[in-house]
Amino acid sequence: MAVLEKTQMLSDGKDKTIYNTTDPDIYLMEFKNSVTTNDGEKRDEITGKGHVNNEISSLLFERINGIDIKTHFIKKISDTEQLIKKLYIIPIEVVVRNYIAGSLVRRLGLDEGTPLYEPILEFYYKDDELGDPMINTDHIRILDIISQETEGEIKEIAFMVNETLNQIFSRIGITLVDVKLEFGLDIKGNIILADEITPDTCRLWDIETGKKLDKDIYRRNMGDMMLGYREVLSRLKSIRT
Ligand code: UDP
């Protein structure tokens, strides 16, 4: 690869900044130290968060690339930066759940931590003004976001990613409670796993103690979130082959 440099900023999100690069097919994604709650009530800068999340996401995407699921991840190029493939991002968040937690506790009145005998998949429409509402197959069709065929393929890939993550995390004594995934389309129309997989976007509990190792530590004022994030990273590194 020729020397590649970052050029104009493309988007400045809550957790990450995306830049164009001198290669028209490649973006540079920088992980920030900021952390916010969905409702915007809390906002903080946490030293080291961008670095740790970049490392965690890079390790997980490398594993997923390795099992023949297409992802946007190319390589980590610095503590907080990685190169990714340029995609059209589908405006849907796909949540896969293995245990009851978060909004499902509020919505269904079930106890946090109740195991699901099979994973549940939910779609959310990415629209800040609407507050990312949950949508179903009919809404996706009416909104004309993606074809039914693409939706079916996304579901299949999302369950495969969940299964792979379950295997990785169970090897390091962590329960994957739920995970939020995003997908994009490349120029050929291939469905590509995008965005990040970090303790910001998954719920991760220690298998032995049930201790939370994810963003709920911050959401619920349960102490130093970086203790959890660093624990996840050091366990992931311990099984690096
Ligand atoms: N999630 C996310 N971004 C969002 C909303 C949710 O990454 O904008 C993740 C969240 O961290 C959790 C999973 O998706 O791992 C399910 O979130 P849930 O619907 O329970 O919402 P929450 O309780 O976080 O509001």
Side-chain angles (χ1 to χ4, degrees), residues 9 25 55 104 109 156 174 190 201 226:
M9 183 194 290
D25 298 324
E55 290 214 34
L104 222 54
E156 217 173 280
I174 291 175
N190 292 311
T201 62
M226 289 314 294

Side-chain angles (χ1 to χ4, degrees), residues 12-17 29-37 42-55 79-81 196 200 215 218 224-226 229-230:
D12 191 19
K14 281 179 276 186
D15 309 303
K16 300 181 295 291
T17 310
M29 182 160 85
E30 181 178 21
F31 285 74
K32 299 192 198 184
N33 283 339
S34 35
V35 57
T36 49
T37 48
K42 280 175 72 181
R43 181 181 184 90
D44 285 285
E45 288 295 306
I46 309 282
T47 307
K49 175 178 176 270
H51 182 176
V52 171
N53 272 357
N54 187 34
E55 290 214 34
D79 284 353
T80 57
E81 297 168 313
E196 66 181 289
D200 279 359
K215 193 171 162 185
Y218 176 77
D224 181 358
M225 61 185 267
M226 289 314 294
Y229 284 44
R230 289 209 171 86

Side-chain angles (χ1 to χ4, degrees), residues 23-74:
D23 183 326
D25 298 324
I26 296 178
Y27 289 149
L28 184 151
M29 182 160 85
E30 181 178 21
F31 285 74
K32 299 192 198 184
N33 283 339
S34 35
V35 57
T36 49
T37 48
N38 279 353
D39 53 19
E41 292 257 299
K42 280 175 72 181
R43 181 181 184 90
D44 285 285
E45 288 295 306
I46 309 282
T47 307
K49 175 178 176 270
H51 182 176
V52 171
N53 272 357
N54 187 34
E55 290 214 34
I56 292 174
S57 205
S58 297
L59 286 172
L60 293 174
F61 271 81
E62 269 167 21
R63 293 296 167 89
I64 296 166
N65 273 340
I67 55 151
D68 261 7
I69 289 177
K70 294 191 180 75
T71 85
H72 73 160
F73 178 78
I74 301 172

Side-chain angles (χ1 to χ4, degrees), residues 38 93 95 97 101-103 106 124 132 178 180 200-203 219:
N38 279 353
E93 293 185 348
V95 170
R97 301 174 184 275
S103 62
R106 300 191 288 275
Y124 292 85
D132 296 349
D178 54 35
K180 188 264 298 178
D200 279 359
T201 62
C202 302
R203 287 193 168 90
R219 294 186 186 103

Side-chain angles (χ1 to χ4, degrees), residues 118-237:
E118 59 184 42
I120 290 178
L121 185 144
E122 296 167 351
F123 293 119
Y124 292 85
Y125 184 32
K126 269 167 67 110
D127 185 312
D128 281 343
E129 274 182 28
L130 298 175
D132 296 349
M134 186 158 79
I135 52 174
N136 66 18
T137 298
D138 290 345
H139 301 129
I140 290 175
R141 196 172 61 247
I142 295 300
L143 290 166
D144 199 17
I145 307 175
I146 42 172
S147 68
Q148 274 176 288
E149 190 191 346
T150 302
E151 182 195 319
E153 282 177 47
I154 286 176
K155 276 185 173 170
E156 217 173 280
I157 301 169
F159 282 127
M160 277 161 61
V161 171
N162 178 57
E163 194 41 48
T164 302
L165 293 174
N166 272 328
Q167 283 169 16
I168 294 170
F169 284 119
S170 70
R171 276 181 70 194
I172 53 173
I174 291 175
T175 302
L176 176 68
V177 175
D178 54 35
V179 55
K180 188 264 298 178
L181 304 172
E182 295 192 25
F183 293 88
L185 298 173
D186 69 10
I187 200 134
K188 293 183 191 146
N190 292 311
I191 299 165
I192 316 279
L193 182 69
D195 199 48
E196 66 181 289
I197 302 176
T198 65
D200 279 359
T201 62
C202 302
R203 287 193 168 90
L204 301 169
W205 298 349
D206 181 82
I207 286 178
E208 293 289 318
T209 63
K211 206 170 113 189
K212 296 184 196 308
L213 304 170
D214 58 67
K215 193 171 162 185
D216 273 348
I217 303 171
Y218 176 77
R219 294 186 186 103
R220 301 205 201 166
N221 301 311
M222 295 170 85
D224 181 358
M225 61 185 267
M226 289 314 294
L227 290 178
Y229 284 44
R230 289 209 171 86
E231 179 68 30
V232 172
L233 178 58
S234 85
R235 290 198 206 180
L236 277 174
K237 280 182 165 169

